[in-house]
């Protein structure tokens, strides 16, 4: 099995607020991430696909095709958007790194026809990231 | 579909510390041969980068596996306060007996963090320099002594 990873970057704004909690609880749990007008990040997304290289092309999958999938599913949805208000897949969820990584996994997995999605890693900053795996996959602690 | 997925939260921390690779179980010549310049008598230092990964259920109310405030405070107390700007050999009791290689440092930091109460520790990865990195995910507790 060979792992292939492609990286993209997008910029988006968000804020953390749960309408079921009081203003004080929101402030206590989410801190400055609860500021009412939101803030933004340059997100870095690393998408890893696992598979065997095709004997004819030597490729696990065509990188150009993966680039197009990432552009269509992620960039066009999230780049220069407000994640709370403009991404329907995140509606009703707090747009944390964990939840965004899971939504990106759910968007990408059905679109990847060659190989299989192995890991989605989303960096909110250099010091904070979330990984999403299928349970039981190599590399995921079970 | 999300029930079949596993989410991990990764957080990166930095500290600066010195160490010397030397074991009394080997002769001076053997120490020098095995550890090379890492055996120089007065030690040397690194800017260590520690990546801590935890997993667990994402709380629907917060969207979080663990609150970063809690994780940061735990790592600060368990690791950074005791390791930053210290000599690993002289200031960390675990390394009185063990060589402070970054392999052993991974195991020591894993042991200090595995009782984090809010999520399950799954991995400690340490970059000693931009070119060397080490990971430990529990299991075999034997480090190099």
């Amino acid at each position: 099995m060979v792992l292939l990873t492609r990286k993209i970057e997008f910029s988006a704004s968000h804020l953390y607020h749960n309408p079921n909690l009081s203003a004080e609880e929101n402030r206590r749990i989410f801190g400055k991430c609860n500021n009412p007008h939101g803030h933004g990040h340059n997100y870095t997304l690393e998408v890893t696909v696992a598979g065997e290289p095709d004997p004819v092309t030597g490729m696990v999958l065509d990188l150009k095709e993966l680039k197009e999938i990432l552009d269509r599913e992620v960039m066009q949805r999230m780049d220069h958007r407000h994640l709370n208000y403009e991404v329907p897949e995140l509606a009703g969820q707090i747009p944390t790194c964990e939840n965004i990584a899971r939504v990106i996994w759910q968007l990408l997995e059905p679109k990847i026809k060659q190989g299989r999605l192995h890991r989605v890693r989303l960096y909110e900053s250099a010091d904070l990231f979330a990984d999403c795996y299928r349970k039981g996959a190599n590399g995921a602690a079970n | 579909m999300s029930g079949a997925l596993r989410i991990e939260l990764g957080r990166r921390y930095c500290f600066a510390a010195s160490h010397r690779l030397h074991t009394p179980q080997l002769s001076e010549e053997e120490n020098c041969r095995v550890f090379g310049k890492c055996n120089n008598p007065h030690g040397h230092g690194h800017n260590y980068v520690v990546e801590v990964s935890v997993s667990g259920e994402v709380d629907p109310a917060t969207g979080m596996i663990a609150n970063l405030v809690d994780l940061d405070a735990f790592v600060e107390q368990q690791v950074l306060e005791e390791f930053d700007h210290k000599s690993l050999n002289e200031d960390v009791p675990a390394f009185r007996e063990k060589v402070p290689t970054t392999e052993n440092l991974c195991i020591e930091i894993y042991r200090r963090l595995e009782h984090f109460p809010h999520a399950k520790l799954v991995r400690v990865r340490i970059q000693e320099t931009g070119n060397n990195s080490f990971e430990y995910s529990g299991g075999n507790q034997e480090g190099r002594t």
Side-chain angles (χ1 to χ4, degrees):
Chain A
M1 184 179 76
V2 177
L3 301 177
L4 174 155
T5 298
R6 185 156 188 111
K7 182 169 83 167
I8 60 168
E9 294 180 358
F10 62 92
S11 304
S13 54
H14 70 173
L15 67 101
Y16 295 173
H17 182 83
N18 184 335
N20 299 317
L21 301 175
S22 69
E24 292 70 28
E25 283 174 309
N26 270 292
R27 170 59 55 178
R28 180 179 59 75
I29 294 170
F30 299 124
K32 60 188 177 184
C33 296
N34 183 238
N35 284 349
H37 303 298
H39 60 281
H41 298 286
N42 294 322
Y43 290 92
T44 300
L45 175 67
E46 290 176 2
V47 173
T48 301
V49 177
E52 297 299 333
D54 181 282
V56 176
T57 65
M59 298 174 181
V60 172
L61 85 167
D62 187 336
L63 269 180
K64 183 160 53 64
E65 189 181 332
L66 181 57
K67 185 181 176 185
E68 285 166 5
I69 293 169
L70 294 177
D71 184 60
R72 201 169 53 239
E73 299 299 327
V74 181
M75 293 298 280
Q76 290 185 28
R77 262 192 185 79
M78 299 186 184
D79 188 37
H80 286 73
R81 299 288 181 182
H82 196 300
L83 299 175
N84 297 67
Y85 307 131
E86 296 184 280
V87 179
E89 290 79 5
L90 281 163
Q93 301 185 53
I94 313 287
T96 56
C97 225
E98 295 96 310
N99 276 336
I100 304 167
R102 179 167 53 195
V103 162
I104 290 174
W105 175 289
Q106 290 166 341
L107 289 168
L108 294 180
E109 195 194 25
K111 305 294 182 190
I112 292 173
K113 307 293 187 194
Q114 293 170 275
R116 65 185 182 283
L117 188 56
H118 175 75
R119 186 182 77 176
V120 165
R121 171 170 285 192
L122 181 69
Y123 287 91
E124 181 181 284
S125 70
D127 296 337
L128 174 63
F129 58 89
D131 287 329
C132 185
Y133 298 94
R134 177 163 300 292
K135 271 189 179 172
N138 277 344
N142 289 298
Chain B
M1 185 193 290
S2 61
L5 301 181
R6 178 164 201 90
I7 316 281
E8 296 178 5
L9 174 71
R11 183 77 157 152
R12 192 174 79 154
Y13 303 91
C14 302
F15 68 87
S18 60
H19 71 170
R20 180 197 183 203
L21 303 187
H22 180 89
T23 174
Q25 296 172 46
L26 298 176
S27 69
E28 291 299 321
E29 293 70 27
E30 284 172 315
N31 267 291
C32 196
R33 181 177 58 76
V34 172
F35 296 122
K37 62 188 178 184
C38 295
N39 185 240
N40 283 352
H42 302 296
H44 60 281
H46 297 288
N47 294 321
Y48 291 95
V49 177
V50 181
E51 256 177 39
V52 176
S53 292
V54 299
S55 73
E57 294 302 316
V58 178
D59 182 339
T62 64
M64 299 173 177
I65 291 173
N67 196 315
L68 286 176
V69 174
D70 296 327
L71 184 61
D72 288 353
F74 194 74
V75 173
E76 177 71 28
Q77 179 195 38
Q78 295 293 323
V79 178
L80 303 180
E81 276 178 16
E82 296 196 47
F83 289 24
D84 189 34
H85 286 72
K86 298 286 179 68
S87 160
L88 298 180
N89 301 67
E90 304 298 328
D91 296 320
V92 179
F95 297 120
R96 303 243 168 85
E97 306 292 328
K98 273 187 188 168
V99 185
T101 58
T102 306
E103 293 93 318
N104 279 336
L105 188 58
C106 276
I107 295 172
E108 176 62 18
I109 290 178
Y110 187 95
R111 282 180 174 158
R112 286 167 175 257
L113 297 180
E114 67 181 332
H115 304 297
F116 179 59
H118 304 291
K120 183 182 184 322
L121 180 68
V122 292
R123 191 178 311 106
V124 169
R125 176 173 177 269
I126 302 179
Q127 280 178 238
E128 182 182 73
T129 68
N131 298 325
N132 299 333
S133 70
F134 304 84
E135 288 184 27
Y136 184 64
S137 306
N140 177 11
Q141 297 281 312
E142 293 301 312
R144 191 185 298 167
T145 54

